[in-house]
Amino acid sequence: MTRVWRRIAAHEWRIMRTDGLVWPLALLLATTVAWGLYSGLQSRTVVMAGITSAQSDESQRYSRLQEQLARRDAAIARGDSQIPADPRSASTLAGRTGSRAAVLPPTPTALLSVGQSDLLPSALRVSSEPREQMLAAAEIENPHRLLDGRFDLSFVVVYLLPLVVITLAFNLLAGEREHGTLALLLAQPVSLTQVVSAKVVVRFGFVLAVSLAMVGAGVLIAGLGEGPAGAGWRLAGWTVTVLVYVAFWFAVSLLMASRGWSSATTALATAAVWLAAVVVIPSLTNLIINATYPVPSRVELVQATREASDSASTRGSVLLAQFFEDHPEMAPVVAPGQPAAPNFAATRVAVASEVARMTEPVARRYDEQLARQQQAASWFKFLSPALLAREALDDFAGTGPHRHADFRAQVDRFHATWLEYFNPRIVQRAALASFDDVPAFTYTEESAGRVLGRAGTALTALALLAGLCGLVGLRRLRTYPLTHSI
Amino acid sequence: MLEAVNLTKQYGTHTALHPLNLSIGPGEVFCLLGANGAGKTTTINLFLNFIQPSGGTATIAGLDVTTQPVESKKHVAYIPEQVMLYRNLSGLENLEYFSALAGHDQYAHADLLALLDEVGLGREAALKRVSTYSKGMRQKVGIAIALAKKASALLLDEPTSGLDPKASNEFSALLQKLRDQGVAILMATHDLFRAKESGTRVGIMKHGHLVATLDTADLGHADLERLYLEHMHD
Ligand SMILES: Nc1ncnc2c1ncn2[C@@H]1O[C@H](COP(=O)(O)OP(=O)(O)OP(=O)(O)O)[C@@H](O)[C@H]1O
Ligand SMILES: [Mg+2]
């Protein structure tokens, strides 16, 4: 930074201030950022409330079970003739009564983006119930879906920041050329590149200073919550994403300014780029993906589960016999010639296994289609800087689809473990030694490396795009028409 | 100091400036005359590297303006026909900024105010916002900016347009002073009288051609007008 460059930058800042545009703009920016943060905070509160409710529901159920056990122990001690049933029985605990809450804790940076946390449940109740029923229940219960409008900080960054940038930069050069000061300026020993870079850097600094100061203040006031660790790198990644995204819009403004159009034409052209990148391409992408890989509705899935369940229930005894054939190790040992005592719990297990087997293809089709959609989305995002930014912002905030998919996969594995643990015990009518033996879910946070790898790809693409626009813009400046507009 | 060698400019098929050869040495004032659209501004803009030449070279203090655009501008000051300034700053602040860019950070406010006073802009006006200025007042600030630069060459595109007769007269005196200091001056003008008064040489331009070059010392005022009008006949 030479002395002359600093002088131009200082002058530019002075002109911007006296212009009277920056303060209303700063106010607008600060207000929308604050609003975005507020809605993020609200979302985090709702998510936390859902999690707390699932957890307290679990602990209440277990304390009731403890009371039942105490009553039963007392009855045994008194030598009562009527001994209550053992609440530790596998068939009791495997069902709703013993269900465990599987919880995806919000990250410390969750308030920076609502992301998908209002669409995807963060608390599930895992029991022997079919997986589909568990997901459907959670989705219906998820209260956040009722909150309308997703005016979160990601929205402010992705949609509104570019408009602020465009407002500040559309007459980067055309303004001074049209007014006539550019001629006197360039009669001095300064290059157009120096002038333009100083102008861009001052505006860039202004936008970043206002927005990051607001975000910093918001984070200090709202706190980062008591989520899992990683506040540092998540916050850093998020900030870098904002920086690169804002840089991209300045690069686009520079590219447009370097064409030598009038300020009106430049403003219009830049706004058209905004419309395409931020509105049109993302909506078209959505449209194309949904048309190419339509996802069957979850209602259909639940319906299929119900039908399978009805059909399986009527074949209970047949299924049980089949089940024992498949799992001879669980078969009851009966004295030859004696009829086996009816085992209703075992029948339920056999029926549930059959339901799972019957719905598996439908569920798999559903999951595969979702996976295909996400695959397509992961390619389509390279078409729009807004999609790239959104992906990286949500991923760093920990509210994107990837972290949630990872959570769901962990829940699925836990569900499988649950069935594996309980089914033999139910069939054998066993009771657990202690409530503590009921498997519990612990969420394993994704590693920083994985998130960085994912968001880093989007971020790199965005940076390359910004660099390309900036370089082409700077090159074009060499032939910038100083004396007339095109 | 200011030199054009086969300098040409074409806009598509239209030639705004035919190969121009011109050399203006220290202490010379070359006045460029010619009808509207003759190519005077084009010539000056080529020296400022505001437009790219279609052929030939323009040099200032021996520096090719297209290959050393920044360096060459250290040696030249410019007053356009319409001096446009930053509206929200005062004349003084404008002068201060442009001088700093020209490499003169050393001026104190008193120096700059004295300079503005010298070109006929009083202290009171100098501290007012430029948005309140008349065209002539802006022109005076433009002249002060050019003087403050202390360049060895001066490009003037109808610099006195909008100046009142007194200010115009004072400007001629300033030119005289700069000439004595050894500044090389190229001035486009429509004012035959001033050209004769201030110029050491006059050039008559027509349809992009420099059709005649004369020493003012050899001419009476009436001669110049007669010659000029003769050339304007097709
Ligand atoms: N950007 C441009 N595109 C096409 N033609 C141009 C352009 N700029 C100037 N010209 C043409 O070049 C010629 C010379 O114009 P120039 O401005 O040099 O005239 P001038 O001598 O300064 O006239 P005036 O006395 O009116 O200031 C004119 O014919 C003009 O139409
Ligand atoms: Mg002209």
Side-chain angles (χ1 to χ4, degrees):
Chain A
M1 314 267 141
T2 61
R3 185 190 57 80
V4 167
W5 189 93
R6 282 199 305 273
R7 183 74 208 221
I8 300 172
H11 168 81
E12 198 55 37
W13 174 231
R14 185 176 193 186
I15 295 295
M16 277 169 67
R17 269 177 316 165
T18 54
D19 234 15
L21 177 67
V22 288
W23 300 126
L25 218 50
L27 191 69
L28 180 79
L29 201 54
T31 317
T32 50
V33 167
W35 190 356
L37 273 172
Y38 175 69
S39 107
L41 188 64
Q42 242 183 345
S43 160
R44 189 178 74 182
T45 312
V46 171
V47 167
M48 282 310 297
I51 288 173
T52 315
S53 124
Q55 282 169 338
S56 73
D57 169 65
E58 182 191 308
S59 66
Q60 273 166 21
R61 274 185 284 107
Y62 272 84
S63 60
R64 273 202 298 277
L65 285 169
Q66 285 285 8
E67 284 163 21
Q68 280 175 30
L69 184 60
R71 275 201 298 279
R72 179 184 141 90
D73 287 346
I76 292 172
R78 285 194 304 270
D80 285 4
S81 54
Q82 285 277 351
I83 307 290
D86 190 347
R88 290 166 306 179
S89 87
S91 67
T92 304
L93 292 176
R96 274 176 199 230
T97 322
S99 68
R100 290 288 200 188
V103 155
L104 175 67
T107 58
T109 45
L111 84 159
L112 298 181
S113 164
V114 171
Q116 312 233 306
S117 57
D118 60 341
L119 294 174
L120 306 172
S122 298
L124 297 168
R125 274 156 222 197
V126 183
S127 68
S128 289
E129 279 185 332
R131 167 179 176 268
E132 304 318 325
Q133 222 157 301
M134 158 181 91
L135 292 177
E139 273 173 23
I140 292 159
E141 272 171 34
N142 193 13
H144 205 158
R145 310 191 70 179
L146 305 175
L147 282 184
D148 53 357
R150 300 223 276 144
F151 195 95
D152 64 342
L153 201 51
S154 282
F155 175 86
V156 173
V157 170
V158 171
Y159 285 78
L160 301 184
L161 269 194
L163 290 178
V164 172
V165 172
I166 293 171
T167 310
L168 282 171
F170 77 93
N171 62 359
L172 212 51
L173 282 175
E176 286 214 35
R177 184 184 56 197
E178 281 157 14
H179 180 58
T181 41
L182 195 58
L184 217 48
L185 189 58
L186 291 170
Q188 312 310 324
V190 296
S191 69
L192 196 57
T193 314
Q194 265 179 323
V195 172
V196 170
S197 63
K199 280 169 178 274
V200 167
V201 167
V202 167
R203 286 162 170 79
F204 191 54
F206 168 74
V207 172
L208 279 188
V210 174
S211 24
L212 294 185
M214 277 310 289
V215 172
V219 164
L220 280 183
I221 293 167
L224 288 172
E226 55 225 285
W233 64 263
R234 282 186 185 276
L235 214 50
W238 187 88
T239 309
V240 170
T241 308
V242 173
L243 208 127
V244 172
Y245 187 61
V246 171
F248 167 80
W249 283 104
F250 273 110
V252 168
S253 299
L254 169 62
L255 184 61
M256 292 298 153
S258 70
R259 301 299 305 249
W261 294 324
S262 70
S263 14
T265 310
T266 312
L268 212 63
T270 322
V273 175
W274 176 85
L275 197 67
V278 176
V279 182
V280 178
I281 296 177
S283 332
L284 274 183
T285 303
N286 241 339
L287 221 65
I288 292 170
I289 290 177
N290 280 323
T292 323
Y293 306 111
V295 170
S297 76
R298 211 170 247 299
V299 177
E300 195 180 313
L301 202 52
V302 173
Q303 190 63 29
T305 312
R306 199 163 296 150
E307 277 163 18
S309 164
D310 288 349
S311 127
S313 303
T314 57
R315 295 178 285 132
S317 51
V318 181
L319 290 171
L320 183 62
Q322 217 166 18
F323 182 78
F324 284 140
E325 244 166 67
D326 295 344
H327 304 277
E329 76 284 355
M330 293 188 209
V333 189
V334 281
Q338 292 281 316
N343 186 342
F344 297 115
T347 309
R348 274 208 303 278
V349 170
V351 167
S353 305
E354 172 68 0
V355 170
R357 196 189 61 76
M358 284 173 76
T359 44
E360 202 262 351
V362 187
R364 202 182 39 215
R365 233 182 306 132
Y366 184 89
D367 287 348
E368 279 172 359
Q369 195 74 324
L370 266 186
R372 260 182 243 125
Q373 274 206 345
Q374 294 201 338
Q375 185 63 31
S378 75
W379 284 112
F380 271 118
K381 70 168 184 266
F382 290 104
L383 291 179
S384 153
L387 290 174
L388 286 170
R390 180 110 220 179
E391 158 120 350
L393 289 172
D394 286 358
D395 224 350
F396 280 124
T399 54
H402 303 292
R403 183 167 181 264
H404 201 271
D406 180 55
F407 166 65
R408 284 269 275 268
Q410 289 187 32
V411 172
D412 277 349
R413 281 199 296 278
F414 176 64
H415 189 239
T417 313
W418 180 278
L419 294 178
E420 237 167 73
Y421 179 84
F422 276 111
N423 281 352
R425 287 174 171 78
I426 293 171
V427 173
Q428 286 154 12
R429 292 190 251 219
L432 275 58
S434 146
F435 292 123
D436 295 340
D437 290 346
V438 176
F441 176 85
T442 39
Y443 173 68
T444 316
E445 188 61 59
E446 284 188 294
S447 72
R450 230 178 108 181
V451 181
L452 284 175
R454 236 171 17 218
T457 312
L459 203 50
T460 310
L462 199 56
L464 284 177
L465 222 55
L468 189 71
C469 291
L471 278 181
V472 173
L474 281 178
R475 269 194 79 86
R476 276 247 171 81
L477 280 184
R478 291 188 205 164
T479 52
Y480 186 80
L482 289 176
T483 53
H484 59 101
S485 23
I486 300 171
Chain B
M1 275 286 92
L2 287 168
E3 192 167 22
V5 178
N6 290 325
L7 190 62
T8 51
K9 179 64 190 177
Q10 277 169 334
Y11 289 109
T13 55
H14 174 71
T15 305
L17 187 66
H18 289 276
L20 172 74
N21 289 288
L22 184 66
S23 180
I24 304 165
E28 267 198 280
V29 180
F30 191 99
C31 292
L32 212 47
L33 302 172
N36 297 130
K40 304 181 294 295
T41 298
T42 302
T43 306
I44 287 173
N45 282 347
L46 282 167
F47 271 106
L48 288 164
N49 195 37
F50 285 178
I51 51 178
Q52 296 299 306
S54 310
T57 52
T59 56
I60 298 172
L63 301 163
D64 187 326
V65 299
T66 55
T67 57
Q68 286 167 290
V70 175
E71 194 58 30
S72 65
K73 275 169 198 152
K74 288 183 179 162
H75 304 280
V76 68
Y78 166 59
I79 304 175
E81 184 182 348
Q82 296 254 13
V83 174
M84 296 307 294
L85 303 163
Y86 296 101
R87 278 173 290 194
N88 292 336
L89 304 185
S90 68
L92 176 67
E93 287 163 340
N94 270 282
L95 174 59
E96 189 183 17
Y97 176 54
F98 285 112
S99 302
L101 291 188
H104 298 291
D105 280 322
Q106 78 279 11
Y107 290 123
H109 274 195
D111 300 334
L112 296 173
L113 282 171
L115 195 59
L116 286 168
D117 196 55
E118 191 183 340
V119 298
L121 196 70
R123 186 192 164 84
E124 200 188 329
L127 297 176
K128 274 198 197 154
R129 281 184 167 210
V130 165
S131 53
T132 64
Y133 282 19
S134 70
K135 179 182 186 299
M137 287 162 84
R138 288 201 307 271
Q139 214 63 23
K140 287 173 181 174
V141 178
I143 295 166
I145 289 170
L147 289 179
K149 195 167 182 178
K150 301 203 182 304
S152 56
L154 199 51
L155 296 168
L156 309 172
D157 196 352
E158 300 175 43
T160 53
S161 87
L163 287 188
D164 58 61
K166 177 168 169 281
S168 204
N169 184 53
E170 282 164 3
F171 182 71
S172 293
L174 275 173
L175 276 189
Q176 181 68 48
K177 209 167 101 184
L178 292 172
R179 191 171 98 184
D180 295 342
Q181 286 167 9
V183 177
I185 301 170
L186 172 62
M187 172 162 77
T189 182
H190 291 296
D191 189 336
L192 299 182
F193 176 75
R194 291 268 168 236
K196 162 80 184 86
E197 287 288 290
S198 318
T200 53
R201 281 194 294 164
V202 294
I204 297 172
M205 214 170 221
K206 189 178 175 185
H207 302 318
H209 291 278
L210 187 62
V211 289
T213 310
L214 311 147
D215 283 333
T216 47
D218 308 342
L219 290 168
H221 180 248
D223 302 334
L224 180 57
E225 185 161 24
R226 186 177 45 77
L227 260 167
Y228 179 83
L229 291 174
E230 260 172 31
H231 277 291
M232 289 305 111
H233 282 299
D234 283 307

